[in-house]
Each structure stands twice: as structure tokens, then as C-alpha cells.
Amino acid sequence: MHDTPAQAVPTPAGPRLEAPDPLGTGEADPEAAGTGESDAGGPKIVRAAGRSAGSSGTGGTAATDDVAAVDDTAAAGTPAGRAARPRRLVGMAAAGQSWFRTGFGLALGAILAWLVARTVLRLSELLTLLLLAVFIAVSLETLVGGLVRRGLRRGWSVAVVVAGFAALLAGFLALLIPPVTAAVDALTTGIPRWRRQLRDHHSTLGRLEDHYHVIEKAQQQLGSGGASEVAGGVVGAGQMVINVVTSAVIVITVTLYLMAALPTIKQFCHRFVPGSRRPRVEAVTEEILSQVGRYMLGNIATSAIAGVATFAWCAAIGVPYPAALGFFVALMDMVPIVGSTVGGIVVSLVALIVSFPVALATAAFYVGFRIAEDYLIMPRAMKFAVDVHPVVTVVAVLAGGSLLGVIGGLVAIPAAVALGIVLDEYVFPRTDAA
């Protein structure tokens, strides 16, 4: 008899695609076989399970590539594959926008930094004057605060301090104007006499004129454009005078406002500090202001000693204008390290009017006074003010002078004092505890 072959009964969901039997056991691969339905209800492509076990390495690689190609093709045809492609495109677009945003931000930051640096360079002169005004106001805060603690209102305290310094300035001008006026009068009366002597061949100036032809050369210079240069020099001198007067008015005005409103300004600046750290910052600020004020008082004391010593020396040996030279040396001595040296050189040059030996004696006097100031006067005057190492003083003054000139040298040591207080309060405790 012949057996009747069994008929395959189709499933309701669709035909079942049988996977081949790779091992020859007569059973289908349960992992490769599918129901013919996808998650969405459509037909599902069933890939071959593999090749024969005895296939070579090259054949295995080709089979793997074929399977991967079939997988990619199948995935591209499914709804999930079609949804993944727009997501990849959106990710690439987002990455491009991120790089563009970063590059644009960097370029914009560089342009803004360049504009800020250019603006600061243009306003460097004004910023220097404002720095000088702040320094003067902070230096005088010790005097103003002392008067306020004695019961005087702050406005009146500022007025008293300003009146005192105005009196000192008036005294300096009173000492300076008469000698300058006398020198100008001597020059105006001496010019006609010098002209007569130049034309007198028997005088010293006349013999010099015969040998060097000074008048002829001066006329040639004036005729070949020298007159315009002289006029330009006069105009430049006038502009310099106007700039000095304008700068002085700016510094005085800003200093007065800062002195009157310094407590309000400090309260406003302290509001930028979190409340939990504000008391500590206020204490550090007051310590800095106190140290700077005491340093300036000590500097004023040493400068006054230098001015009095100069006046006494010039009056004793007969150097002209002793009071004006004493006041000048006192002002120059306020600039650390180089101020007293410059003042001594100027006084020694003025002493040449008397005689060369007097000029040498004046130079020797200032050398000795400088040694006494550095090792005797300054340590005693600064004993209760600030404690700054000499190396820090020299470096600070050189750096400040190279950056801002005389004003930089003047504010260098107070800035070094403030930096030292900040380091002692915030930096060194953390490094010591680490």
C-alpha cells in the first residue's frame, strides 16, 4: 500500500515560510523560522540560517556579507528602518548646528575682547587719572575717618582735609611764583644786553659771535622753516599746559566725590558679595583701607623730613630758592625709591649756579640723606604702618613705573600691601591646610 502524504494546513495568519535544515536532521531551525507576520501584521522575510558546516573561510565571509546585506535591505523596508533614517538626518543637522554655534560664539567673543582692549587703550589716560583719584581718596580716608569719629560730620571732615591740602598747595605756589617771576624778569631785561654784547667784538659774547656766527645761523634757521617749528613748539607747550590743568581739575573733582561718598560706594560694592561671606569681605576691605592710609601718612612724614632737610641745607650754603626746592623735594620724595634721587639731582644742578664745589657738596649731602632715609627714617616712620619686604617694594615700584609712569610708582606699594592682605586672608590658609 502507498501511504497518503500528509497535507500542510495553512495558518490563518498566512503561509509559514520554512527555514532550511542546515544539519540534515529533518527539523527546521526554530530561531530562523518565523510565523510570517511582523509586528505590524505584514509578511516577514525570513533569512537563511547559514551555510553548510563544511564551507570554507572565504565562503563563510561571503555568506556573512550576504546576510548583512539582506538584513540592511530588510531593515530599510520596515517601518522602524524608515523611521530611523530621519532620526539620523536630524542628528547630523543638530551636530552641524552645534559646531556652527560654537564657532560663532568663539568669533563673537574674540571680537568683543578686541573691542574692549581697544577701548581701554583709548581711555588709558582717563583711567590713569581715575586711578590716581581713587588712590588719593583712599589715602586721605584715614584723616577723614578720624575727624568723623571725633563727632564731625563727613561733609565737614572732607572740607577740613581739602582746606588743609589747599593751604599747602597755596604755600607751595607762594614759594614758587616769586623765584619764577624774578627769573622771567631777569631774562626779559637781559636779552637786550646780550644782543648788544653779541655785536660788541671786544666782549666775550662778541668774540663767540665772530667765531661761531650765532646770529647768522639763527636767521638762516628761522628763514628755512624754523619759525614754523618755533610756532609749533609754542602751540605744543600751550596744549601741554591745558592738558595738565584739565587733568588736575578731573582728579580734584573725582577725588572730592569719592571722599564724600566712600561709605556709600563701599556698601554698594559689598552687595555683590553673598551675604554669608560679606562680613569677612568687609573686614578685609577695612584692613586694606587702613593699611593704605597708614602707609600714606608715613610717606608724608618722611617726605616732610626730606623737604625740611633740603631747605636747611640750601639756606645754609647759599643755594637760591631754598623754600621752593624744599617743597619740590618733599613732593618728589613721595614717589618710592626714585623720588628722592630725582629731587637730589635737581637740587645739585641748581647748586651749580653758586659753584661747582657747592654742587658736589650738595650731591654728597643727598647721598648721605638717602642712606639715612632708607635705613633710619623710613623704618621708624613705617614701623606702625605696613610691613613690606624690600624686594617686594623694588619689584612693585619698577612694575608700576613701567606700566603707569610716576603714578604707577606712587600706587605700587599700596597695591602690593593690598595684594599681601588678600593672599594672607584667602590663599595661604588654604594652601597651608591642604
Side-chain angles (χ1 to χ4, degrees):
M1 293 178 64
H2 297 284
D3 296 334
T4 303
Q7 296 180 357
V9 180
T11 59
R16 179 182 178 86
L17 300 180
E18 298 291 344
D21 182 10
L23 300 179
T25 59
E27 297 181 357
D29 188 359
E31 295 181 357
T35 60
E37 294 180 0
S38 64
D39 295 339
K44 185 176 181 179
I45 300 177
V46 182
R47 59 190 178 96
R51 294 287 186 265
S52 173
S55 61
S56 63
T58 304
T61 304
T64 305
D65 294 340
D66 294 340
V67 171
V70 172
D71 288 344
D72 293 339
T73 304
T78 60
R82 288 193 297 270
R85 181 180 298 176
R87 285 198 297 269
R88 288 196 297 269
L89 295 177
V90 171
M92 294 173 62
Q97 291 179 359
S98 177
W99 282 107
F100 175 77
R101 187 182 297 108
T102 303
F104 182 78
L106 292 175
L108 182 61
I111 293 174
L112 291 177
W114 178 76
L115 291 176
V116 170
R118 185 177 179 183
T119 304
V120 170
L121 291 177
R122 286 184 175 181
L123 298 177
S124 60
E125 184 177 356
L126 179 60
L127 294 177
T128 303
L129 296 178
L130 295 179
L131 176 63
L132 179 60
V134 171
F135 173 72
I136 295 174
V138 171
S139 301
L140 298 178
E141 176 62 19
T142 302
L143 299 176
V144 176
L147 294 176
V148 171
R149 285 190 295 270
R150 285 172 173 79
L152 196 62
R153 295 179 58 184
R154 186 169 186 86
W156 287 107
S157 301
V158 172
V160 169
V161 174
V162 171
F165 278 91
L168 291 177
L169 180 60
F172 173 70
L173 293 178
L175 295 173
L176 184 63
I177 289 176
V180 173
T181 304
V184 172
D185 292 340
L187 180 63
T188 54
T189 56
I191 289 177
R193 185 177 69 255
W194 296 337
R195 291 182 61 185
R196 289 193 301 267
Q197 291 179 359
L198 284 173
R199 299 182 186 279
D200 185 4
H201 301 284
H202 300 286
S203 63
T204 303
L205 291 179
R207 289 192 294 270
L208 291 175
E209 165 62 20
D210 294 337
H211 188 272
Y212 295 103
H213 306 287
V214 178
I215 296 178
E216 182 180 356
K217 291 180 179 179
Q219 291 176 350
Q220 291 177 357
Q221 289 291 331
L222 293 175
S224 62
S228 60
E229 294 181 359
V230 172
V234 173
V235 173
Q239 291 179 349
M240 183 179 67
V241 172
I242 293 175
N243 291 334
V244 169
V245 173
T246 304
S247 300
V249 171
I250 292 174
V251 170
I252 293 173
T253 304
V254 176
T255 301
L256 291 177
Y257 277 107
L258 290 175
M259 291 173 63
L262 189 58
T264 305
I265 295 174
K266 289 191 297 184
Q267 292 177 0
F268 175 75
C269 294
H270 290 157
R271 294 186 64 184
F272 291 95
V273 181
S276 59
R277 293 183 293 176
R278 191 172 301 170
R280 186 180 181 186
V281 173
E282 291 177 351
V284 173
T285 303
E286 294 300 328
E287 179 66 19
I288 292 174
L289 296 179
S290 176
Q291 293 277 358
V292 172
R294 284 186 291 180
Y295 165 77
M296 285 308 301
L297 290 179
N299 198 7
I300 290 174
T302 57
S303 300
I305 294 174
V308 172
T310 299
F311 172 77
W313 173 262
C314 294
I317 64 175
V319 178
Y321 319 127
L325 291 176
F327 207 101
F328 171 76
V329 171
L331 290 178
M332 293 302 300
D333 193 75
M334 295 185 68
V335 180
I337 298 177
V338 297
S340 59
T341 303
V342 173
I345 292 174
V346 171
V347 176
S348 301
L349 292 176
V350 174
L352 284 173
I353 299 175
V354 181
S355 65
F356 185 73
V358 172
L360 288 179
T362 303
F365 165 77
Y366 274 103
V367 171
F369 179 79
R370 178 61 188 272
I371 295 175
E373 183 182 30
D374 291 341
Y375 293 97
L376 181 63
I377 300 174
M378 185 66 73
R380 292 181 179 272
M382 296 296 178
K383 182 178 181 181
F384 301 101
V386 294
D387 185 13
V388 182
H389 196 275
V391 176
V392 177
T393 301
V394 173
V395 172
V397 172
L398 292 178
S402 62
L403 291 175
L404 300 176
V406 177
I407 298 176
L410 186 63
V411 304
I413 295 181
V417 171
L419 179 60
I421 294 174
V422 173
L423 292 177
D424 291 336
E425 186 67 24
Y426 293 100
V427 179
F428 293 152
R430 296 181 180 179
T431 57
D432 293 339

